[in-house]
Every structure is written in C-alpha cells, then in structure tokens.
Amino acid sequence: MCTQKPPHDYSEQLYGKYRDAFNKYINDKVLPALREHREEVLLKELYSRWGNHKLMVRWLSRFFNYLDRYYVLRHSLHPLKDVGLLCFKDLVYVEIKKRTKDAVLLLVEKEREGELIDRALVKNILGIFIELGMSNMDCYEKDFEEYLLTETSAFYRRKASEWIEQDSCPDYMLKAEECLRLEEERVENYLHASTKAKLLKEVENELLSNYEQRLLTKEHSGCAALLKDDKTEDLARMYRLFQRIPKGLDPVADIFKEHVDNEGMKLVKEVTEAVELAKEKQAKAGPSRDTGTSAEQQYVRAVIDLHDKYLAYVSTCFCNSSLFHKSLKEAFENFVNKSVAGSSSAELMASFCDNLLKKGGSEKLSDEAIEETLEKVVKLLAYVSDKDMFAEFYRKKLSRRLLQDKSASDDHERSLLSRLKQQCGAQFTSKMEGMVTDLQLAKEKQQHFDDWLKDKGKKLSIDLSVTVLTTGFWPTYKSIEVALPREMVEGVEVYRSYYDSDSKHRKLTWIYTLGTAVLRGNFDSKPIEMQMNTLQAALCMLLNDVDELSYNEVQERLRLPDDDLQRLLHSLVCAKYKIIKKEPDGKTISKSDKFSFNNRFTDKMRRIKIPLPPLDEKKKVMEDVDKDRRYAIDAAIVRIMKSRKVLQHQTLVMEVIQQLQRMFKPDLKLIKKRIEDLIQREYLERDKDNPTLFKYLA
C-alpha cells in the first residue's frame, strides 16, 4: 500500500485513516464514559481510559511503523505516536481539563484538612497533564499549577488569619513549620518537582511574610519574650522559618540586638547604683588602691557571662549567622563603651585581669578556668573602642605585679600577652613583653652583681637587691631625689660603680618610691621585722641617731617635698601601725609636730608590712593616654600626607579615623587641633586658594 508509485501509493490515506480511527474511538467510547462521572470517579475513569489509549497508540504505531520511517519524515508530519496523543489532547483533554483540575484540587484540599486521599491516583492524573505537554510543561503549568498556587494561597490566607488571632507566637510557628513540611511532602508524593519552590513561596508568603511584624511583636510570646524567657528551641524555629523569606531575619536580628543592649545597660545601671551605695557607706574611708571594687569586678564577670550566653544563642539558635554576629557585636559595642560608675570598661577589664593574675586575688580559679576567663576578656576587648586606655591601665597594673612580686603565674602573664598580641597586634603588647623580659634580665644582673662583690672582696653592711629596668618599656615614674641614710648610700654607690664598669654609656636613675626595705624595730615587748617602702625606711632610720626630730628637721635631712613627706609621716604615725609617735597626738600631720620612736608599739605578728597610702593613678593614666593619642594622630596625619602629598580636609580626617580606630576612636576636634599644630610646625600648609586643601611639606 505504501511502496507503490502514485497513484497506487496510499500512504496519505492510511495516515489520515490512522487519525480517524483514534477520533472515532474517542468520540464513540471515551467521551461518553467520561461525561457521566464527577470528581474522584472521573479521575479513576480518566486514568483507565488514558491507559487504554496509550496501549492502542503503542500497537497501532507499531503496525504502521513504515509510515513513520518514510512518509512522515519525507513530509515533515507528526510521528504516529504524537498523532495518537494529539487526538486525545484535542478531543478529551480540552473538554475535561477543567473538571479534572477541580477534582484534583478538591482532593488536595481534603488532604490539607487532614483526610486520607489516593495519592497514587493524583500522581497518575498529573502525569497525564505532563505527558500531553509533549516534551514541555505548558499543560501542567497553565491548566493545573497556576490554579493550585492560587488555591494554596487562598487556603493558607484563611488559616493564617485564624491562627494569628488565637495562637501564641511559638504555637503559630509550630503550625507554620508543619504546613511547610507537609507541602514539601506533597511535592515528593504527587506534584512535579518544579512546583516545589513556587508552592513553598506561596505558603511562606501567606503564613510568614504577611504576618511577620505581628508575629514577632506579639505581647508575652513574641521574639523579645522568647529571648527574655530563654526559649532556645522556639528561637531556633523562628530562625529556620524567617530565613526562608527575603530579609525575613532583619527584624529578628534587630530585636535580638535591642534585647542584648537592654540587658547590658541593665547591668551598667545595677553596678553604677551598687558602687554609688558603697561609696556612700565608705564616704569617710581613704581611696582604694585598685579601681576594681567587688561590684565592678562582678560587672566584668557578668558581661563575660552575658557574652557567653548570647554567643551560644548565635551559634546554636541562629546557626552562626553573620547577621546575628553583627547584631551581637553592635549591642556589646554600645553598652561596653558606656561609663560604669565613673570608670571606663577598659579600666575595669584591666582591674579584672589584675585580680585574676595577682597573688591573693579574690577570684579563686583553677589554671584552666583562669586561661578560659582571660580568653573571654580578650574577646570582650574587641568591643572596647579605647583599647589604648586598656593597654595603659593594664601596663600600670602589670608593672605593680612584677615589681612587687605579686604575679601568681608567669605562664598566665605570657599567655594573656600572646592573646592580646593576636587580637590587637604586636605594637599593642611590645612594651608589656619588654617588661616581663626586663625582670628576667634583672635577676641575671643581680646574680652577676653578687658574683662581682665576691670577686672584689666587698661586703655591704645591708643586703642589697637591685632591679634594673629599661625606661622605654615601663610606665613613667616620678624620680624623687632623697638624702638616704649612710648604710643605703654605701649600697647605692657600690652598685653604681659595678654598673658603670659593666654597662658603658648607660645612665642609672633610682626610683626609690618603688623600692622596699626590711627593718628590725627593737620595741620594748619584742623585736618586730617591718617590710616597708625605701623612703619609709630612710625616715625610720633617722631616729636611730636622735631621740626626737621636728617636721622641719625631718624635711631638711631627707630633702623631700611637703606632699611626699606628709604621705610618709602619715603612714608611720597615723595609720594602722604607729611605729613613730608625735607630739601633739592627732590624726593629721602639721609642720609644728615633733616625732620620736614609739618603743611601746607591739603587734601579735613578728613580721608586718607597712603600706604607703596609694596615689590616685587614674588621672595620671588618662593624661598619659591623651598624650599618646596626640602623638598617634600626628604620626597618622604625617604618614597619610607623605604618601598622598595633597588632600582635602574631610578625606584626611576620614583616613586618620580609619587608621586609628583599631586602638581608639579619635575625637574630631582633636584631629582638627593636631592638623593646626602640624601647620604651625610646618609639616603641612593650607592651599592659598582653597582653605580646606592641605599640602605636605617635605
């Protein structure tokens, strides 16, 4: 039939008859059967008829395979298989697609309401939509998916409006999470994979996007309430849900930041009130040696605990999200840089570290716990804007620990310095590392001095130990010229001759205020050993030669200024240990007083330590920091101008701030002042035509 030459070639008629056979069968058998059914029964009948139709197509297309191989190719017609499918599409699909779609959507809604449905049937019916698309998804998308998405949106809009009124935030989120899980399951069970993203977007939009603000700010159960009540599971769920929607986490992060900031400010307020209360109670007491009172120590510990708590929230509930790390950082930066009872956090952290590292500190911790706490303090330091202030306070306290042998462990000292170096750079810790090294060298120097004395056959009337320090590393100390007793003068002269012979071109400056001496007081009841400052010892030894001295005589012999002398006398005459008595008796020192050895003094201990009233170091530290900042700003301006040659005022200020903000937050007025100063010193000049333009002068 198909291999004869025209007019005996019946390929065209056969191809037409093939199509007609399908059309007749569909019109006579398939359509009448489908028209009498509705809903699920319709779907079952449709699936059955579709199966039969595919079988018919498969066999008929095989019978007339010759047409496919020659006639169809030569005339660019539809293959036989496609003709069969197109017949079904044009006659059956076009007529029943709406009823089929409605039936499927009804089953989907029933399942959403909790009923059991025939999932396999739905999957098979949707398979028909996909197959009839003939290698594209048009039928499935236009005739079913669009309606499914509209229905889904409407369904969840109804549900959300009910739930938001009656449920708490955690209950609502549980329902939303379950709905999203079920929709994903639905896609896996019978919908096409391409529907997943679109379907979930509709659900997320109705359940989450539209009600986000209301949900997060719900009274007694919103995000702030969950944070307050430490509901970590609910917070983790909140993160999982709202990360699905664009910018959904921004409001959560803002609430988190505000909550942490409020908690921090509450701490600041509590400590400030506690310190004020303590000050009122101790109004008559003298100044304390350390700025870190117990309330302030507890503040740093509380801030560490607060940081641990919310850092754990960020890592567990919020999956280490950079957005929440940023919120945590901003919240801590805000309250950590507030003044706490007149002290900065930098100062309090330095005091806290001092308390951890010195012998007899109030923090009794194991070595591991100390290391862990120091690491946490260094992490907190990242939030402090005045890192140079911390460095200066810490250096002061480190010097006191080292020189008075109060450091509990060299390992801990070095460990903290290495952590600070890692966090803030080598320049930050260079002086402190120099101090620790200095002390090691000083011990070796002392041993060398002892050997030198033996070699020279010299013997001092007193035991002398000297700690030689490098000026650049240590805080600046006031050098007081004092007339020492002859026993001490001998030791100083011998050491000076040793040092000159050992170290050429180096000058020794003696800081007697940092020295200590041990004297034996031969009192009537018993002899007592007294550990005291070198200047206190010099004063006491004056009374070895005379029974009584007036204020002026003491001043004449020691050659000390009034302020220092009054401090010394007060510590020996009016404080806890009254080893010198005065005429007339009283609690203050006046220039008309006379002083003599108190032979009746006694104490239950055989060895006592007589402290010198402390100076207020805070003011000195602040002055040093201000001075260093001026130098740092000058150096930064010159560095920038040297490389750029010409620069606008605003750009210069911004670059200076950028360079220095790792150590401290430069004040704009101070930068302006330093620029003026450098212009006067002829490092820079203003442009003649444009006063906001600066030029570098080489």
Side-chain angles (χ1 to χ4, degrees):
M1 288 174 74
C2 302
T3 53
Q4 306 297 317
K5 290 183 178 173
H8 303 293
D9 182 353
Y10 296 102
S11 296
E12 187 179 344
Q13 291 91 322
L14 194 61
Y15 188 79
K17 287 278 185 188
Y18 175 82
R19 181 189 290 107
D20 294 342
F22 279 117
N23 289 345
K24 186 173 186 320
Y25 171 72
I26 288 168
N27 284 316
D28 293 351
K29 302 281 183 188
V30 178
L31 284 173
L34 291 173
R35 281 169 187 153
E36 64 189 41
H37 296 303
R38 292 280 175 277
E39 295 176 5
E40 196 171 345
V41 183
L42 166 70
L43 299 181
K44 286 178 179 172
E45 184 66 28
L46 174 63
Y47 182 60
S48 165
R49 294 291 175 177
W50 171 247
N52 293 343
H53 184 80
K54 282 205 294 184
L55 191 69
M56 186 176 170
V57 169
R58 193 165 87 229
W59 285 108
L60 282 180
S61 62
R62 281 183 184 177
F63 293 157
F64 303 113
N65 184 249
Y66 191 85
L67 286 174
D68 258 352
R69 279 161 51 205
Y70 297 99
Y71 178 74
V72 166
L73 286 174
R74 204 174 297 134
H75 294 85
S76 302
L77 298 169
H78 286 296
L80 297 182
K81 188 182 174 190
D82 287 2
V83 170
L85 294 180
L86 283 168
C87 291
F88 195 89
K89 185 177 179 180
D90 295 341
L91 296 173
V92 179
Y93 179 74
V94 169
E95 183 175 324
I96 59 127
K97 66 181 177 182
K98 183 180 178 302
R99 285 161 54 213
T100 307
K101 174 259 297 175
D102 290 343
V104 172
L105 290 178
L106 186 67
L107 287 178
V108 172
E109 183 158 351
K110 279 182 179 177
E111 190 183 43
R112 282 176 178 154
E113 293 289 8
E115 291 182 38
L116 285 173
I117 63 163
D118 186 347
R119 288 175 170 178
L121 175 64
V122 176
K123 186 178 176 70
N124 292 332
I125 294 298
L126 294 178
I128 299 172
F129 279 80
I130 293 164
E131 280 187 72
L132 288 175
M134 316 278 280
S135 77
N136 66 46
M137 298 291 288
D138 287 356
C139 292
Y140 175 81
E141 286 173 0
K142 287 180 181 165
D143 299 333
F144 172 74
E145 191 182 70
E146 282 178 13
Y147 297 98
L148 171 72
L149 297 178
T150 309
E151 285 291 317
T152 302
S153 185
F155 177 82
Y156 284 111
R157 193 177 304 127
R158 288 195 307 276
K159 290 292 179 190
S161 62
E162 290 170 25
W163 295 344
I164 197 73
E165 297 299 336
Q166 65 195 31
D167 290 332
S168 66
C169 175
D171 291 344
Y172 184 100
M173 289 193 300
L174 271 168
K175 287 180 178 176
E177 191 170 49
E178 182 62 11
C179 289
L180 286 162
R181 186 187 68 77
L182 290 172
E183 292 302 326
E184 284 185 27
E185 209 175 88
R186 210 155 274 132
V187 174
E188 283 170 24
N189 286 325
Y190 51 77
L191 299 173
H192 190 265
S194 65
T195 307
K196 185 174 179 177
K198 303 173 203 170
L199 184 69
L200 293 179
K201 189 182 174 189
E202 292 297 328
V203 181
E204 287 158 7
N205 196 36
E206 295 301 337
L207 293 183
L208 301 173
S209 299
N210 292 348
Y211 290 104
E212 179 173 21
Q213 204 52 41
R214 256 182 94 180
L215 201 57
L216 294 179
T217 54
K218 252 186 182 279
E219 205 176 348
H220 309 308
S221 71
C223 184
L226 297 180
L227 285 163
K228 190 178 172 186
D229 299 334
D230 302 328
K231 303 282 188 190
T232 48
E233 272 187 41
D234 291 327
L235 288 167
R237 185 172 292 110
M238 186 175 275
Y239 176 83
R240 286 198 300 274
L241 287 172
F242 287 108
Q243 73 165 343
R244 289 167 164 270
I245 59 177
K247 297 198 177 299
L249 290 174
D250 289 359
V252 184
D254 289 341
I255 294 169
F256 176 67
K257 176 184 162 184
E258 190 183 341
H259 174 77
V260 176
D261 191 23
N262 290 341
E263 290 290 299
M265 290 307 294
K266 202 194 296 175
L267 271 182
V268 171
K269 192 180 172 192
E270 282 170 10
V271 174
T272 305
E273 285 170 3
V275 171
E276 292 302 326
L277 201 66
K279 276 183 184 171
E280 283 171 28
K281 287 180 184 174
Q282 297 173 355
K284 291 176 186 176
S288 122
R289 178 174 283 274
D290 280 316
T291 46
T293 63
S294 59
E296 290 160 319
Q297 288 288 314
Q298 283 161 13
Y299 166 72
V300 179
R301 174 60 71 188
V303 172
I304 289 172
D305 293 342
L306 196 72
H307 190 253
D308 285 352
K309 177 182 174 180
Y310 290 114
L311 192 62
Y313 275 34
V314 172
S315 58
T316 54
C317 304
F318 305 132
C319 301
N320 264 326
S321 159
S322 58
L323 178 66
F324 285 87
H325 273 294
K326 182 170 174 268
S327 294
L328 184 72
K329 177 175 177 280
E330 286 172 1
F332 267 80
E333 278 175 351
N334 184 42
F335 78 80
V336 159
N337 289 303
K338 295 274 188 270
S339 175
V340 182
S343 302
S344 66
S345 286
E347 181 186 349
L348 296 181
M349 284 184 194
S351 298
F352 183 79
C353 292
D354 182 53
N355 199 30
L356 274 179
L357 296 168
K358 72 182 178 187
K359 290 174 185 169
S362 60
E363 298 268 344
K364 300 284 183 276
L365 299 171
S366 66
D367 284 355
E368 290 81 9
I370 288 175
E371 283 293 319
E372 201 179 311
T373 309
L374 291 175
E375 189 174 347
K376 287 171 182 175
V377 173
V378 173
K379 275 184 189 169
L380 280 186
L381 188 62
Y383 304 124
V384 175
S385 55
D386 298 333
K387 293 182 181 64
D388 57 341
M389 188 87 76
F390 170 85
E392 197 57 37
F393 274 111
Y394 184 78
R395 202 158 67 98
K396 279 274 187 195
K397 290 175 187 302
L398 174 64
S399 70
R400 195 187 295 148
R401 285 199 301 278
L402 295 176
L403 296 177
Q404 296 176 5
D405 195 25
K406 283 188 174 177
S407 179
S409 161
D410 279 354
D411 292 342
H412 290 326
E413 295 285 4
R414 290 185 185 279
S415 162
L416 180 56
L417 288 181
S418 72
R419 286 198 170 99
L420 289 170
K421 190 175 186 175
Q422 221 171 349
Q423 173 89 26
C424 307
Q427 197 181 346
F428 188 83
T429 55
S430 59
K431 288 183 178 179
M432 301 175 205
E433 287 173 328
M435 287 159 70
V436 176
T437 310
D438 251 7
L439 230 62
Q440 299 291 100
L441 296 173
K443 284 175 187 168
E444 292 169 21
K445 198 93 173 162
Q446 180 61 33
Q447 186 60 50
H448 195 259
F449 172 61
D450 292 341
D451 296 343
W452 181 83
L453 282 177
K454 279 181 193 168
D455 292 347
K456 297 283 183 188
K458 292 187 179 183
K459 190 159 175 60
L460 297 174
S461 56
I462 57 170
D463 289 336
L464 177 68
S465 171
V466 180
T467 307
V468 181
L469 310 175
T470 310
T471 312
F473 296 146
W474 296 77
T476 47
Y477 298 109
K478 192 163 115 187
S479 176
I480 301 172
E481 284 302 322
V482 63
L484 295 173
R486 60 182 176 278
E487 296 91 338
M488 292 186 181
V489 170
E490 180 202 357
V492 169
E493 291 304 328
V494 169
Y495 193 86
R496 188 172 275 137
S497 61
Y498 151 73
Y499 193 79
D500 289 344
S501 67
D502 188 53
S503 309
K504 296 278 186 281
H505 314 301
R506 287 197 179 182
K507 187 188 167 201
L508 272 184
T509 306
W510 294 82
I511 313 288
Y512 299 118
T513 48
L514 296 176
T516 54
V518 179
L519 295 187
R520 194 169 80 155
N522 295 313
F523 301 103
D524 291 350
S525 59
K526 62 180 178 188
I528 295 175
E529 279 193 4
M530 300 172 291
Q531 188 181 338
M532 57 180 74
N533 182 277
T534 306
L535 297 179
Q536 288 172 308
L539 174 56
C540 289
M541 287 170 78
L542 294 179
L543 295 170
N544 274 346
D545 303 329
V546 290
D547 292 336
E548 190 176 73
L549 286 170
S550 68
Y551 180 91
N552 289 334
E553 286 172 325
V554 173
Q555 189 167 30
E556 201 178 296
R557 293 193 185 198
L558 287 179
R559 297 186 208 138
L560 280 174
D562 278 333
D563 289 350
D564 295 315
L565 184 57
Q566 294 218 357
R567 251 177 89 230
L568 276 187
L569 285 166
H570 192 280
S571 69
L572 299 167
V573 178
C574 310
K576 183 180 175 185
Y577 301 113
K578 298 177 177 61
I579 61 169
I580 295 177
K581 58 186 179 184
K582 77 179 184 81
E583 291 289 333
D585 203 7
K587 290 200 171 181
T588 54
I589 306 291
S590 74
K591 293 191 178 182
S592 58
D593 290 343
K594 296 196 172 185
F595 306 95
S596 59
F597 176 61
N598 182 10
N599 54 343
R600 290 184 183 171
F601 172 79
T602 187
D603 193 84
K604 61 182 178 184
M605 308 295 285
R606 288 202 168 272
R607 188 180 181 117
I608 60 174
K609 188 174 181 181
I610 303 172
L612 197 59
L615 289 164
D616 184 14
E617 290 180 346
K618 190 170 173 179
K619 191 179 170 192
K620 173 85 169 65
V621 170
M622 305 295 259
E623 285 169 4
D624 288 348
V625 168
D626 284 345
K627 191 167 71 178
D628 288 345
R629 283 183 180 181
R630 287 200 296 275
Y631 293 151
I633 292 171
D634 285 359
I637 293 169
V638 171
R639 244 192 334 266
I640 293 161
M641 291 304 296
K642 196 171 184 178
S643 64
R644 305 286 287 275
K645 303 301 183 214
V646 178
L647 212 56
Q648 283 283 350
H649 175 268
Q650 197 58 37
T651 316
L652 176 59
V653 169
M654 294 315 292
E655 288 205 22
V656 168
I657 290 172
Q658 199 177 343
Q659 276 198 18
L660 298 175
Q661 66 189 1
R662 278 194 67 200
M663 286 302 284
F664 65 95
K665 212 171 181 181
D667 180 44
L668 294 174
K669 286 179 186 171
L670 184 58
I671 296 175
K672 199 173 175 187
K673 225 181 245 181
R674 298 321 303 158
I675 291 172
E676 296 298 335
D677 188 65
L678 288 169
I679 289 171
Q680 281 179 8
R681 284 153 56 195
E682 296 185 355
Y683 282 92
L684 317 174
E685 69 170 1
R686 270 201 173 85
D687 187 75
K688 291 182 178 69
D689 304 322
N690 183 357
T692 62
L693 194 68
F694 299 115
K695 292 179 182 175
Y696 177 69
L697 298 175

PDB file of all heavy atoms in Angstrom, residues 12 118 412 427-428 446 531 576 622 649:
ATOM      1  N   GLU A  12      -0.830   8.524   2.187  1.00  0.00           N
ATOM      2  CA  GLU A  12      -1.530   9.700   2.722  1.00  0.00           C
ATOM      3  C   GLU A  12      -2.884   9.297   3.302  1.00  0.00           C
ATOM      4  O   GLU A  12      -3.263   9.714   4.400  1.00  0.00           O
ATOM      5  CB  GLU A  12      -1.712  10.744   1.610  1.00  0.00           C
ATOM      6  CG  GLU A  12      -2.278  12.059   2.136  1.00  0.00           C
ATOM      7  CD  GLU A  12      -2.434  13.086   0.996  1.00  0.00           C
ATOM      8  OE1 GLU A  12      -1.833  12.882  -0.081  1.00  0.00           O
ATOM      9  OE2 GLU A  12      -3.123  14.083   1.216  1.00  0.00           O
ATOM     10  N   ASP A 118      -6.245   9.205  47.783  1.00  0.00           N
ATOM     11  CA  ASP A 118      -5.496   8.287  46.922  1.00  0.00           C
ATOM     12  C   ASP A 118      -4.394   9.088  46.216  1.00  0.00           C
ATOM     13  O   ASP A 118      -4.617   9.668  45.151  1.00  0.00           O
ATOM     14  CB  ASP A 118      -6.455   7.645  45.918  1.00  0.00           C
ATOM     15  CG  ASP A 118      -5.773   6.562  45.093  1.00  0.00           C
ATOM     16  OD1 ASP A 118      -4.528   6.500  45.136  1.00  0.00           O
ATOM     17  OD2 ASP A 118      -6.483   5.802  44.410  1.00  0.00           O
ATOM     18  N   HIS A 412      50.590  32.406  82.954  1.00  0.00           N
ATOM     19  CA  HIS A 412      49.337  33.132  82.689  1.00  0.00           C
ATOM     20  C   HIS A 412      49.628  34.524  82.128  1.00  0.00           C
ATOM     21  O   HIS A 412      48.933  35.002  81.238  1.00  0.00           O
ATOM     22  CB  HIS A 412      48.505  33.258  83.962  1.00  0.00           C
ATOM     23  CG  HIS A 412      47.910  31.957  84.427  1.00  0.00           C
ATOM     24  ND1 HIS A 412      47.499  30.987  83.548  1.00  0.00           N
ATOM     25  CD2 HIS A 412      47.657  31.466  85.673  1.00  0.00           C
ATOM     26  CE1 HIS A 412      47.027  29.955  84.223  1.00  0.00           C
ATOM     27  NE2 HIS A 412      47.109  30.223  85.513  1.00  0.00           N
ATOM     28  N   GLN A 427      52.423  45.752  68.222  1.00  0.00           N
ATOM     29  CA  GLN A 427      52.733  47.057  68.809  1.00  0.00           C
ATOM     30  C   GLN A 427      52.029  47.244  70.160  1.00  0.00           C
ATOM     31  O   GLN A 427      52.538  47.863  71.072  1.00  0.00           O
ATOM     32  CB  GLN A 427      52.290  48.157  67.836  1.00  0.00           C
ATOM     33  CG  GLN A 427      52.919  49.511  68.149  1.00  0.00           C
ATOM     34  CD  GLN A 427      52.437  50.585  67.178  1.00  0.00           C
ATOM     35  OE1 GLN A 427      51.869  50.283  66.154  1.00  0.00           O
ATOM     36  NE2 GLN A 427      52.661  51.832  67.515  1.00  0.00           N
ATOM     37  N   PHE A 428      50.832  46.651  70.247  1.00  0.00           N
ATOM     38  CA  PHE A 428      49.999  46.784  71.451  1.00  0.00           C
ATOM     39  C   PHE A 428      50.705  46.205  72.685  1.00  0.00           C
ATOM     40  O   PHE A 428      50.612  46.748  73.778  1.00  0.00           O
ATOM     41  CB  PHE A 428      48.675  46.047  71.199  1.00  0.00           C
ATOM     42  CG  PHE A 428      47.633  46.250  72.265  1.00  0.00           C
ATOM     43  CD1 PHE A 428      46.810  47.368  72.257  1.00  0.00           C
ATOM     44  CD2 PHE A 428      47.447  45.316  73.275  1.00  0.00           C
ATOM     45  CE1 PHE A 428      45.835  47.552  73.215  1.00  0.00           C
ATOM     46  CE2 PHE A 428      46.470  45.494  74.247  1.00  0.00           C
ATOM     47  CZ  PHE A 428      45.662  46.623  74.212  1.00  0.00           C
ATOM     48  N   GLN A 446      71.361  40.775  88.871  1.00  0.00           N
ATOM     49  CA  GLN A 446      71.569  40.728  90.321  1.00  0.00           C
ATOM     50  C   GLN A 446      72.559  39.624  90.687  1.00  0.00           C
ATOM     51  O   GLN A 446      73.444  39.814  91.523  1.00  0.00           O
ATOM     52  CB  GLN A 446      70.214  40.489  91.028  1.00  0.00           C
ATOM     53  CG  GLN A 446      70.287  40.409  92.549  1.00  0.00           C
ATOM     54  CD  GLN A 446      70.809  41.686  93.188  1.00  0.00           C
ATOM     55  OE1 GLN A 446      70.568  42.770  92.682  1.00  0.00           O
ATOM     56  NE2 GLN A 446      71.549  41.544  94.275  1.00  0.00           N
ATOM     57  N   GLN A 531      58.352  45.285 106.917  1.00  0.00           N
ATOM     58  CA  GLN A 531      58.589  45.463 105.471  1.00  0.00           C
ATOM     59  C   GLN A 531      57.918  46.767 105.054  1.00  0.00           C
ATOM     60  O   GLN A 531      56.745  46.982 105.327  1.00  0.00           O
ATOM     61  CB  GLN A 531      57.998  44.299 104.679  1.00  0.00           C
ATOM     62  CG  GLN A 531      58.401  44.359 103.202  1.00  0.00           C
ATOM     63  CD  GLN A 531      57.793  43.228 102.388  1.00  0.00           C
ATOM     64  OE1 GLN A 531      57.415  42.201 102.943  1.00  0.00           O
ATOM     65  NE2 GLN A 531      57.684  43.414 101.097  1.00  0.00           N
ATOM     66  N   LYS A 576      47.587  52.294 110.529  1.00  0.00           N
ATOM     67  CA  LYS A 576      47.347  51.112 111.379  1.00  0.00           C
ATOM     68  C   LYS A 576      48.522  50.832 112.314  1.00  0.00           C
ATOM     69  O   LYS A 576      48.351  50.552 113.493  1.00  0.00           O
ATOM     70  CB  LYS A 576      47.102  49.901 110.461  1.00  0.00           C
ATOM     71  CG  LYS A 576      46.775  48.623 111.204  1.00  0.00           C
ATOM     72  CD  LYS A 576      46.548  47.484 110.216  1.00  0.00           C
ATOM     73  CE  LYS A 576      46.330  46.169 110.954  1.00  0.00           C
ATOM     74  NZ  LYS A 576      46.234  45.029 110.016  1.00  0.00           N
ATOM     75  N   MET A 622      45.109  58.678  82.494  1.00  0.00           N
ATOM     76  CA  MET A 622      44.323  59.426  81.498  1.00  0.00           C
ATOM     77  C   MET A 622      45.195  60.463  80.791  1.00  0.00           C
ATOM     78  O   MET A 622      45.105  60.633  79.569  1.00  0.00           O
ATOM     79  CB  MET A 622      43.134  60.144  82.151  1.00  0.00           C
ATOM     80  CG  MET A 622      42.225  59.244  82.952  1.00  0.00           C
ATOM     81  SD  MET A 622      41.395  58.037  81.956  1.00  0.00           S
ATOM     82  CE  MET A 622      39.817  58.777  81.786  1.00  0.00           C
ATOM     83  N   HIS A 649      40.451  68.293  53.477  1.00  0.00           N
ATOM     84  CA  HIS A 649      40.326  68.173  54.933  1.00  0.00           C
ATOM     85  C   HIS A 649      39.462  66.963  55.320  1.00  0.00           C
ATOM     86  O   HIS A 649      39.867  66.139  56.162  1.00  0.00           O
ATOM     87  CB  HIS A 649      39.703  69.463  55.499  1.00  0.00           C
ATOM     88  CG  HIS A 649      39.435  69.400  56.967  1.00  0.00           C
ATOM     89  ND1 HIS A 649      38.229  68.985  57.474  1.00  0.00           N
ATOM     90  CD2 HIS A 649      40.220  69.678  58.029  1.00  0.00           C
ATOM     91  CE1 HIS A 649      38.285  69.005  58.798  1.00  0.00           C
ATOM     92  NE2 HIS A 649      39.476  69.428  59.154  1.00  0.00           N
TER      93      HIS A 649
END
